[in-house]
């Protein structure tokens, strides 16, 4: 995609960008915001990451929120077709991962369910991702992501 790559500045490295989404959880139930849930890895990550005190979901439905986050487009403006619990995103929408890939980032996504995020239904959320992994459990997803991050670290910034 011509024109999407950032201007190179000698000695100025692009930062890694890690987007973590958690479906169906209230912030006040997580330990970051004083809640009772045992989430030691999230607490450790938050200690070194940007944590937002005011953040809002684009929609009350996952099939509208995730495509909105993946495209940067308001949920009411996203075009696509509902397939079960997912939205098959119109191919004219450009995914955030496609923009990061055009900027020279190594891109990967780790998801719980292939039917919601790409894979078997080809809903489009995985467009622009060079590496995609699926695991139903959080520990398995974490292992996949950490393995990919360790392998990719020396080469390019990561999304």
């Amino acid at each position: 995609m011509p024109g999407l790559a950032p201007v190179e500045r000698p000695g100025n490295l692009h930062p890694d960008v890690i987007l973590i989404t958690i479906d169906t959880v209230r912030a006040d139930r997580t330990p970051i915001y004083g809640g009772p849930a045992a989430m030691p890895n999230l607490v450790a990550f938050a200690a070194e990451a940007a944590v937002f005190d005011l953040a809002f979901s684009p929609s009350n439905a996952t099939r509208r929120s995730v495509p909105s986050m993946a495209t940067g487009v308001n949920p009411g403006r996203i075009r696509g077709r509902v397939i079960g619990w997912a939205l098959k995103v119109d191919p004219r929408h450009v995914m955030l991962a496609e923009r990061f890939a055009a900027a020279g980032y190594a891109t990967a996504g780790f998801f719980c369910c292939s039917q919601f995020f790409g894979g078997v239904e080809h809903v489009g959320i995985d467009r622009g991702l060079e590496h995609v992994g699926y695991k139903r459990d959080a520990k398995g997803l974490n292992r996949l992501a950490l393995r990919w991050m360790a392998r990719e670290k020396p080469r390019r910034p990561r999304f």
Side-chain angles (χ1 to χ4, degrees):
M1 290 181 203
L4 292 180
V7 175
E8 290 295 328
R9 293 192 173 104
N12 200 8
L13 299 176
H14 298 295
D16 288 341
V17 176
I18 299 173
L19 172 65
I20 298 174
T21 64
I22 304 171
D23 193 19
T24 318
V25 66
R26 288 178 21 184
D28 66 349
R29 306 307 290 169
T30 68
I32 298 168
Y33 297 101
M39 305 170 100
N41 291 334
L42 185 62
V43 170
F45 180 73
E48 298 182 33
V51 176
F52 298 91
D53 288 331
L54 288 174
F56 300 91
S57 176
S59 173
N60 65 344
T62 302
R63 74 170 162 222
R64 290 288 178 192
S65 290
V66 171
S68 180
M69 288 183 279
T71 61
V73 175
N74 184 293
R77 298 184 61 104
I78 293 177
R79 299 295 169 239
R81 182 168 48 98
V82 174
I83 299 177
W85 288 99
L87 179 70
K88 185 169 186 163
V89 179
D90 187 301
R92 292 174 288 188
H93 290 294
V94 178
M95 296 293 151
L96 186 59
E98 292 176 298
R99 295 186 187 278
F100 273 101
Y105 277 69
T107 59
F110 303 95
F111 307 100
C112 70
C113 317
S114 62
Q115 68 269 32
F116 299 139
F117 299 107
V120 295
E121 297 292 346
H122 304 288
V123 296
I125 299 298
D126 57 356
R127 286 197 327 254
L129 298 173
E130 299 164 333
H131 180 84
V132 178
Y134 298 103
K135 284 283 185 196
R136 294 282 306 163
D137 65 291
K139 286 183 181 180
L141 274 175
N142 191 39
R143 278 193 297 275
L144 286 176
L146 290 174
R147 209 174 306 137
W148 178 80
M149 290 173 68
R151 183 181 70 233
E152 197 58 46
K153 187 163 179 74
R155 298 190 281 180
R156 303 181 279 166
R158 300 165 294 184
F159 171 73

